[in-house]
């Protein structure tokens, strides 16, 4: 870690506030504990509205956004405002204390526009690839129009400007190499492994079952491509067969009100609770009470190639999972999950687990051991530190003035 001592890293995040963005916060605190000075630029969002604060020794600069965008044009406005603030705050931070590296976390693939100025000063740009935006655009709008081509262009330019790249899984690494043209030696896989000191297994709290025998748990963003509409279809089919199941949905997002109404329209109001964004403790209270946890991400190419944090968080809490048949979802969960092909099959897989407690326990234990022994942040953080030791070592040789 000698190459990290006293070096300054600037994280730039556009789509979520920090520390709410768990991956970014884990990366930031890991590097700070390894001797780096850490600053973060991110948006102001509900619950995280202070323009500046210091948490655990990390300086966080939050900028306003006009709204949480919907639609292609809305996203362009949001991203334009974000770029303005990112450039302004980066200048302020660099003047206060020059940084040695910018760690850009997408979406969108536009943070390189801020990084370019500083690359000329010898600052490295690391691209932390969270989402494959061309596939995300198709998942949202089901078309390859001008905006899709724009997504492809920005992705290409991001990789071209990156000195190194971090991928969340093997699929993303392949995209960085094949589509981004990156040297494989400059792409490091760092999965979003959960921190076990945060995700504690605890006793269930029965009030969340609302008097029913079973609880299903969902954790994640409430957006257009997360498949909550499919989950509600499956829940409707379950309720037609039995009335002893409650569904708890934890998370916030642009489609929250739309999906609440859809739930009511399907006659599910008394069977589905939308908790919104909650504290860590309430999240643990709800998920530890769940008998089965679900990942209804739609079978799109975006979701097929992406690793979802919720999967490993469920596993860390010893929960059996039902999800759709997706490549990286299976790679993460293996035997901790059952895999469905449509909403009816999804409902049947849930019912199967509810009716077989021994199977639930076996799957939960398998997932927990997989996280403890392979996938937790304890293992992934070491890869991040090693990556930055190499990067900062090469930078020191190139530029000793920063």
């Amino acid at each position: 870690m000698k190459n990290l001592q006293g070096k300054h890293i600037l994280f730039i995040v556009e789509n979520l506030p920090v520390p709410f963005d768990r991956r970014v916060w884990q990366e930031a605190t890991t590097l700070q504990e390894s001797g780096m000075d850490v600053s973060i630029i991110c948006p102001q969002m509900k619950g995280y509205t202070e323009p500046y604060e210091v948490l655990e020794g990390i300086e966080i600069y939050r900028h306003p956004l006009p709204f949480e965008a919907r639609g292609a044009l809305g996203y362009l406005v949001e991203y334009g405002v974000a770029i303005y603030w990112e450039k302004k705050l980066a200048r302020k931070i660099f003047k206060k204390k020059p940084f040695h590296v910018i760690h850009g976390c997408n979406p969108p693939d536009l943070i390189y526009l801020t990084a370019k100025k500083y690359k000329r000063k010898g600052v490295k740009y690391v691209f932390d690839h969270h989402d494959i935006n061309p596939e995300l655009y198709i998942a949202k709008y089901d078309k390859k129009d001008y905006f899709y081509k724009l997504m492809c262009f920005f992705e290409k330019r991001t990789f071209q400007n990156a000195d190194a790249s971090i991928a969340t899984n093997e699929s993303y690494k392949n995209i960085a190499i094949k589509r981004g043209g990156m040297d494989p030696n400059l792409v490091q896989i760092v999965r979003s492994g959960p921190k076990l000191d945060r995700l504690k297994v605890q006793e269930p709290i029965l009030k969340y079952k609302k008097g029913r025998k079973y609880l299903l748990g969902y954790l994640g963003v409430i957006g257009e491509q997360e498949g909550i509409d499919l989950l509600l279809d499956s829940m409707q089919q379950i309720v037609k067969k039995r009335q002893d199941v409650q569904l708890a949905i934890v998370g916030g997002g642009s489609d929250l009100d739309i999906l609440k109404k859809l739930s009511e329209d399907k006659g599910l109001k008394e069977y589905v609770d939308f908790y919104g964004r909650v504290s860590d403790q309430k999240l643990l209270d709800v998920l530890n009470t769940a008998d089965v946890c679900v990942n209804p991400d739609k079978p799109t190419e975006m979701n097929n190639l992406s690793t979802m944090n919720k999967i490993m968080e469920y596993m860390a809490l010893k929960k059996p999972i039902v999800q759709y048949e997706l490549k990286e979802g299976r790679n993460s969960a293996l035997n901790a999950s059952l895999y469905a092909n449509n909403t009816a099959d999804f409902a049947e897989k849930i019912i199967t687990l509810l009716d077989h407690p021994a199977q639930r326990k076996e799957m939960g234990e398998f997932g927990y051991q997989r996280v403890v022994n392979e996938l937790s942040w304890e293992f992934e953080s070491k890869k991040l530190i090693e990556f930055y030791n190499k990067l900062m070592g090469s930078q020191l040789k190139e530029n000793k003035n920063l």
Side-chain angles (χ1 to χ4, degrees):
M1 292 188 285
K2 61 182 181 180
N3 293 331
L4 305 186
Q5 295 296 320
K7 300 303 176 290
H8 187 193
I9 179 171
L10 172 63
F11 282 78
I12 300 180
V13 193
E14 196 281 328
N15 67 321
L16 286 175
V18 176
F20 181 77
D21 189 318
R22 287 297 173 187
R23 175 181 173 86
V24 174
W25 189 242
Q26 287 181 176
E27 291 174 325
T29 53
T30 294
L31 294 173
Q32 193 263 353
E33 290 164 3
S34 300
M36 298 188 82
D37 293 326
V38 180
S39 301
I40 300 174
I41 296 173
C42 66
Q44 294 172 341
M45 289 184 175
K46 184 178 179 181
Y48 302 90
T49 56
E50 289 294 325
Y52 173 80
E53 68 176 322
V54 179
L55 294 176
E56 299 182 33
I58 295 171
E59 292 188 296
I60 304 174
Y61 299 78
R62 300 191 186 97
H63 61 79
L65 281 180
F67 52 81
E68 195 167 357
R70 287 183 60 84
L73 291 176
Y75 282 111
L76 286 179
V77 173
E78 177 187 319
Y79 296 160
V81 172
I83 290 168
Y84 166 80
W85 282 105
E86 288 161 9
K87 289 186 174 184
K88 183 175 181 176
L89 290 171
R91 283 195 301 270
K92 178 180 179 179
I93 295 166
F94 193 80
K95 185 177 181 180
K96 181 178 179 181
K97 182 177 182 179
F99 39 78
H100 300 80
V101 58
I102 291 177
H103 185 120
C105 308
N106 83 329
D109 294 333
L110 295 171
I111 298 170
Y112 78 90
L113 295 171
T114 300
K116 286 178 69 173
K117 170 184 175 181
Y118 299 97
K119 281 173 62 67
R120 293 193 289 269
K121 300 176 184 289
V123 174
K124 299 280 191 184
Y125 179 51
V126 171
F127 175 46
D128 194 349
H129 197 187
H130 293 189
D131 286 319
I132 39 178
N133 282 324
E135 284 80 3
L136 178 57
Y137 184 82
I138 293 173
K140 284 176 176 287
Y141 305 112
D142 195 26
K143 55 186 175 181
K144 293 185 178 181
D145 56 6
Y146 169 77
F147 290 108
Y148 168 78
K149 293 176 182 176
L150 204 57
M151 297 298 103
C152 294
F153 171 78
F154 289 143
E155 180 189 78
K156 185 71 172 179
R157 291 294 292 151
T158 291
F159 282 117
Q160 288 173 342
N161 280 275
D163 294 285
S165 178
I166 295 175
T168 55
N169 58 38
E170 194 69 42
S171 295
Y172 276 36
K173 181 174 181 177
N174 289 336
I175 287 172
I177 296 166
K178 295 177 181 178
R179 212 156 73 190
M182 292 210 72
D183 180 342
N185 295 317
L186 297 176
V187 184
Q188 174 64 54
I189 295 176
V190 179
R191 295 179 179 274
S192 299
K195 292 188 78 171
L196 297 178
D197 60 354
R198 182 178 77 90
L199 292 167
K200 297 285 190 181
V201 177
Q202 63 184 44
E203 290 299 311
I205 300 177
L206 296 183
K207 69 177 182 178
Y208 293 109
K209 293 191 174 185
K210 301 295 179 72
R212 305 190 199 281
K213 185 174 182 180
Y214 301 109
L215 181 68
L216 307 179
Y218 170 87
L219 168 66
V221 176
I222 313 299
E224 297 169 76
Q225 68 278 354
E226 275 72 30
I228 308 298
D229 54 335
L230 302 184
L231 177 59
L232 294 176
D233 283 346
S234 296
M235 187 63 185
Q236 188 178 43
Q237 294 174 61
I238 291 171
V239 169
K240 286 178 181 178
K241 297 180 180 181
R242 55 199 296 172
Q243 291 75 51
D244 60 351
V245 184
Q246 191 76 12
L247 170 60
I249 296 177
V250 178
S254 58
D255 277 24
L256 182 58
D257 291 337
I258 294 171
L259 290 164
K260 282 183 178 179
K261 185 177 186 307
L262 179 62
S263 178
E264 293 180 12
D265 292 345
K266 289 180 175 294
L268 296 173
K269 185 175 181 179
E270 65 178 291
Y271 294 95
V272 180
D273 297 304
F274 290 87
Y275 288 96
R277 289 177 180 166
V278 299
S279 66
D280 279 0
Q281 187 55 58
K282 189 166 184 178
L283 180 153
L284 290 175
D285 292 345
V286 174
L287 292 187
N288 273 293
T289 306
D291 299 281
V292 174
C293 284
V294 293
N295 175 33
D297 286 329
K298 295 180 177 180
T300 65
E301 189 62 8
M302 160 72 185
N303 290 335
N304 189 50
L305 299 178
S306 300
T307 297
M308 304 304 174
N309 295 346
K310 65 176 77 72
I311 296 293
M312 287 179 282
E313 292 178 327
Y314 295 159
M315 292 161 66
L317 296 175
K318 295 189 176 182
K319 298 302 173 183
I321 303 162
V322 175
Q323 60 181 311
Y324 287 105
E325 182 62 73
L326 296 168
K327 177 183 176 181
E328 289 297 340
R330 182 179 281 275
N331 285 345
S332 294
L334 298 178
N335 294 338
S337 180
L338 298 183
Y339 303 90
N341 297 309
N342 52 54
T343 58
D345 190 27
F346 202 96
E348 286 302 319
K349 292 289 195 301
I350 290 172
I351 290 172
T352 294
L353 289 179
L354 295 181
D355 290 341
H356 294 84
Q359 185 179 3
R360 296 203 306 270
K361 184 177 180 179
E362 181 181 350
M363 290 170 62
E365 187 63 33
F366 174 89
Y368 179 74
Q369 292 301 324
R370 180 160 163 73
V371 169
V372 168
N373 296 314
E374 298 178 58
L375 299 177
S376 75
W377 187 245
E378 177 185 353
F379 299 99
E380 298 304 313
S381 62
K382 294 174 183 175
K383 299 175 186 176
L384 180 70
I385 294 169
E386 182 182 0
F387 167 82
Y388 263 105
N389 257 315
K390 291 179 180 177
L391 181 76
M392 300 312 295
S394 65
Q395 184 181 46
L396 288 173
K397 295 173 186 177
E398 294 172 13
N399 192 333
K400 296 184 180 181
N401 296 320
L402 277 175

